């Protein structure tokens, strides 16, 4: 028996003015697994994420979410179908506090954003859950801090809290540990390990120790194409992957 | 069912037991109440200090400016075509007053609702654009409406406008006080919108639309709703303007009318809500004074003020038009 597929890309391509950033990518992510997407800079990982979440329309190909065709749906519709993403380049609402960020995300998931005739104090009903989520990502003390004032690593943590607030079926994380110190990386590994229960996680990750610790399956992208796919050990031993990485010289697996 | 009733119970509990407030906020809130009280007293005094007709005019433009500010300050969209809503409401208000003999608050409400309906197709097309393109699309639609109103003279009176709109309260002094509750109602609505769950979403969209979409907020639809609410407020102002003058001219639909509303907000302060009434009082009073002293080139002065404000507070207008995708 095969496990059901949470997320599928078939022949997915995306051109930017003649340049093919994602080239006929086939991807099958089994429900409940952690699937890592690796590859050198410019391989098309973020573009693939943008395609999967509706931020970019594919030039060709299709996307399925739990068997349902979601090709061409706008990002908010994909989000409401249970796909949450974090952004590689931290993307927050500068003037809102951490707490307000998470309240807003919880409201997005539960509805109520249309109520222009009610007080914004209504958002405080999400406060207990928001505090839990902030504590979970290590921002328990920083509920009142504006996003702009947070350090880089903490902004990354808030990104994660926002994605988790949506209680998604599928969690897409674009380089969740980029720029983090050792300690924060450890905590993030532990956190992803915890929140993966009952979800499917797809993550772009350069840090091979993170991939090794979490990923059930790894897809290697290069120049928009799938170069290899398999378990972490299989991919590490793959001739083509070794050549590609040593050839490009930028990211040796460590 | 049970979930929603649980939510209601939770909301009620929250209402009784507000969360911890940051220090000093009690003081700030008291200051705010004082400011509000002062503004109300000022508004009640106004027709004693000015010609009542000018005071009425200030009320109308205050609503119009707040409508612009709702979009400009809280969604980051600069409409250059809001005369479409102000003017359409003015005509609709005048027409229902003339043909159906509706009392003025109802006539104004009809006008404002007409403007809101008109905002659906215009907003639907406009909110897909941002920055200068949004301004252009709104301007283009407003110009279309202007041309239609000019040509459709059997309904609008064309160049002659709508003459002798009936009004039961003929004295402008008393009309001012009859109009004041409607204006306060409109201003309260704007305040409520800005400080609502919806308003929070608008600010999030203004600051980072992609992130808001990734959370599941349908950004275009939120913008459209804000656009309609803004058109409603502009319509309230335009309807009162028609009743205030007992006359509707094509000028209510002219692009210079949209421009004047933007000038008022920019001068009064973008994204403050207070800026609208403040700027309206200043500009209307100034224009009245200029025309009273026989000065012909009023547009030159308000235009000059606009240019100066834009140059001095460049980021506001400039940032909105050119710094957003
Ligand atoms: N919006 C865009 N317009 C033009 N080219 C783009 C755009 N987004 C990405 N690219 C190009 O597509 C390629 C893949 O980029 P990206 O998906 O960000 O790679 P990765 O995330 O794997 O580092 C790069 O060469 C990049 O320059
Ligand atoms: Mg990337």
């Amino acid at each position: 028996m095969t496990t059901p597929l949470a997320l599928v890309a078939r022949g997915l391509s995306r051109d930017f003015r003649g340049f093919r950033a994602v080239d006929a990518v086939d991807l099958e992510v089994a429900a409940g697994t952690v699937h890592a997407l690796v590859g050198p800079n410019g391989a098309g990982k973020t573009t693939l994420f943008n395609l999967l979440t509706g931020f970019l329309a594919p030039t060709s190909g299709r996307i399925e979410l739990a068997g349902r065709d979601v090709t061409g749906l706008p990002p908010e519709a994909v989000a409401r179908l249970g796909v949450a993403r974090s952004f590689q380049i931290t993307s927050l609402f500068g003037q809102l506090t951490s707490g307000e960020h998470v309240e807003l995300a919880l409201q997005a998931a539960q509805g109520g954003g249309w109520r222009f005739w009610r007080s914004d104090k209504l958002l405080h009903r999400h406060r207990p859950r928001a505090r839990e989520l902030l504590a979970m990502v290590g921002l328990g003390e920083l509920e009142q801090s504006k996003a702009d004032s947070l350090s880089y690593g903490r902004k990354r943590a808030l990104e994660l809290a926002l994605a988790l607030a949506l209680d998604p079926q599928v969690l897409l994380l674009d380089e969740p540990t980029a720029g983090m110190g050792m300690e924060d990386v450890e905590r993030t590994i532990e956190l992803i390990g915890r929140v993966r229960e009952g979800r499917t996680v797809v993550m772009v990750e350069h840090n091979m120790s993170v991939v090794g610790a979490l990923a059930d399956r790894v897809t290697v992208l290069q120049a928009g194409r799938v170069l290899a796919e398999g378990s972490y050990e299989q991919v590490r031993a793959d001739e083509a992957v070794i050549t590609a990485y040593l050839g490009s010289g930028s990211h040796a697996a460590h | 069912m049970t979930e929603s009733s649980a939510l209601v119970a939770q909301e009620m509990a929250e209402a009784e037991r507000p969360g911890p407030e940051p220090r000093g906020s009690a003081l700030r809130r008291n200051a705010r109440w004082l400011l509000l009280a002062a503004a109300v007293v000022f508004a009640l005094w106004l027709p004693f200090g000015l010609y009542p007709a000018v005071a009425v005019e200030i009320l109308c433009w205050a609503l119009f400016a707040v409508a612009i500010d709702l979009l400009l300050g809280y969604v980051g969209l600069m409409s250059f075509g809001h005369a479409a809503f102000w003017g359409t409401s003015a005509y609709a208000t005048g027409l229902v007053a003339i043909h159906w003999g509706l009392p003025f608050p109802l006539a104004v409400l009809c006008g404002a609702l007409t403007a809101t309906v008109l905002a659906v197709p215009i907003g639907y097309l406009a909110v897909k654009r941002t920055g200068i393109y949004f301004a252009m699309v709104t301007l283009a639609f407003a110009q279309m409406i202007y041309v239609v109103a000019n040509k459709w003279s059997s309904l609008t009176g064309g160049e002659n406008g709508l003459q002798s709109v009936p009004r039961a309260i003929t004295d402008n002094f008393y009309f001012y006080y009859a109009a004041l509750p409607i204006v306060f109602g409109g201003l309260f609505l704007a305040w409520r919108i800005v400080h609502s769950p919806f308003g929070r979403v608008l600010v999030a969209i203004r600051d980072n639309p992609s992130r808001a979409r990734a959370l599941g907020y349908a950004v275009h639809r939120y913008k459209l709703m804000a656009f309609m609410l803004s058109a409603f407020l502009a319509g309230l102002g335009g309807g009162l303007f028609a009743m205030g003058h007992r006359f509707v001219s094509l000028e209510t639909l002219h692009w210079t009318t949209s421009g004047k509303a933007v000038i008022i907000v920019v001068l009064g302060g973008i994204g403050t809500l207070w800026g609208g009434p403040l700027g309206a009082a200043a500009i209307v009073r100034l224009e009245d004074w200029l025309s009273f002293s026989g000065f012909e080139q009023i547009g030159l002065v308000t235009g000059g003020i606009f240019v100066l404000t834009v140059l001095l507070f460049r980021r506001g207008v400039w940032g909105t038009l050119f710094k957003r995708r």
Side-chain angles (χ1 to χ4, degrees), chain A residues 155-173:
Chain A
K155 283 181 179 161
R156 303 296 305 162
L158 184 54
E159 276 274 335
L160 207 54
L162 282 187
L164 289 175
L166 301 183
D167 192 16
Q169 233 85 68
V170 180
L171 187 57
L172 301 180
L173 305 172

Side-chain angles (χ1 to χ4, degrees), chain B residues 213-246:
Chain B
R213 296 187 88 181
L215 294 179
Y217 288 113
V219 164
H220 288 335
R221 270 185 255 163
Y222 274 85
K223 283 183 176 176
L224 177 58
M225 181 61 127
F227 194 78
M228 288 164 61
L229 290 166
S230 169
F232 178 80
L233 288 169
L236 278 186
L240 276 182
F241 190 78
M243 296 310 300
H245 286 260
R246 280 173 280 181

Side-chain angles (χ1 to χ4, degrees), chain A residues 76 80 91 104 120 159, chain B residues 195-196 208 211 213 216-217:
Chain A
E76 60 269 21
R80 282 198 298 267
S91 175
L104 207 58
D120 53 10
E159 276 274 335
Chain B
H195 299 283
S196 71
N208 194 338
R211 189 24 128 171
R213 296 187 88 181
Y217 288 113

Side-chain angles (χ1 to χ4, degrees), chain B residues 80-318:
Chain B
F80 250 101
H82 253 45
F85 308 118
W86 161 271
T88 298
S89 171
Y91 276 101
T93 301
L95 284 169
V96 298
I98 291 169
H99 296 293
W100 299 347
L102 286 187
F104 95 90
L106 274 184
V108 169
L109 189 64
C110 281
L113 290 175
T114 310
T116 312
V117 172
L118 179 67
V120 176
I122 296 181
Y124 181 81
L125 293 167
V127 299
K128 296 185 174 161
R129 304 271 174 275
T130 54
I132 191 84
Y133 301 102
F134 177 83
M136 295 307 239
V137 171
T138 49
L139 175 62
F141 276 108
Q143 288 305 95
M144 260 169 55
I145 307 258
Y146 177 85
V147 169
V148 169
N150 194 7
K151 289 272 176 330
W152 196 356
S153 51
S154 61
L155 185 74
T156 63
E159 298 274 338
N160 299 321
L162 276 186
Q163 307 279 353
S164 48
V165 175
R167 193 177 88 192
I169 308 167
T170 45
D171 190 325
N172 275 330
F173 182 84
Y174 295 110
F175 181 72
Y176 176 91
Y177 290 103
L180 203 53
I182 296 180
V183 176
F184 281 153
L187 296 180
F188 174 76
L189 176 64
W191 177 84
R192 178 75 292 164
I193 292 167
V194 166
H195 299 283
S196 71
F198 177 75
R200 188 74 66 81
V201 179
L202 290 186
V203 169
I205 289 173
R206 180 195 68 190
D207 289 349
N208 194 338
S210 294
R211 189 24 128 171
R213 296 187 88 181
L215 294 179
Y217 288 113
V219 164
H220 288 335
R221 270 185 255 163
Y222 274 85
K223 283 183 176 176
L224 177 58
M225 181 61 127
F227 194 78
M228 288 164 61
L229 290 166
S230 169
F232 178 80
L233 288 169
L236 278 186
L240 276 182
F241 190 78
M243 296 310 300
H245 286 260
R246 280 173 280 181
F247 167 71
V248 185
S249 77
L250 267 181
E251 202 194 335
T252 58
L253 287 168
H254 200 256
W255 64 268
T256 52
T257 299
S258 304
K260 181 170 161 183
V262 173
I263 291 173
I264 287 174
V265 176
V266 171
L267 183 70
I270 296 168
T272 59
L273 287 189
W274 284 103
L278 222 63
I283 292 280
V284 172
R285 183 75 187 86
L286 176 73
E287 286 193 349
D288 178 57
W289 180 72
L290 287 173
S291 69
F292 186 73
S293 41
F295 191 78
E296 302 274 313
Q297 304 298 327
I298 294 176
L300 211 64
V301 174
T302 42
I305 290 175
F306 181 66
V307 170
L308 276 180
T309 337
V310 170
L311 288 178
L312 296 176
F313 310 104
R314 206 179 152 84
R315 243 184 340 172
V317 180
W318 184 263

Side-chain angles (χ1 to χ4, degrees), chain A residues 84-107:
Chain A
R85 71 174 290 187
S86 72
F87 289 79
Q88 177 180 0
I89 297 164
T90 304
S91 175
L92 299 166
F93 311 110
Q95 290 308 305
L96 299 184
T97 65
S98 307
E100 288 168 337
H101 271 80
V102 182
E103 285 174 10
L104 207 58
L106 289 164
Q107 174 181 263

